Amino acid sequence: MSDPTPPMDPWVRSVLRCPVTGAELVDAVGPEGAPELRSTDPERPLAYPVRDGIPVLLETEARAL
């Protein structure tokens, strides 16, 4: 079964930043196989879930890496 969620536009993806550290976010897959965005900050690496194609960039939703 294919993913019905359209991919995020590259220009939108390029401007997203970690709301906690301001670091760039990169695409990743979480432990359960769900998509997520990971902060590239080496001091405080965080992962944010992507639900229904929408990044949830809330500190309370972040997972420490």
Side-chain angles (χ1 to χ4, degrees), residues 10-65:
W11 74 268
V12 173
R13 195 53 208 83
S14 71
V15 297
L16 292 179
R17 295 289 181 259
C18 174
V20 176
T21 67
E24 181 181 1
L25 296 169
V26 295
D27 294 309
V29 177
E32 303 295 321
E36 65 183 17
L37 295 177
R38 291 185 183 171
S39 170
T40 58
D41 186 328
E43 300 294 318
R44 191 168 179 196
L46 298 169
Y48 296 91
V50 177
R51 296 186 185 125
D52 296 323
I54 301 170
V56 182
L57 300 180
L58 299 171
E59 184 175 5
T60 56
E61 293 288 325
R63 177 174 63 83
L65 297 173

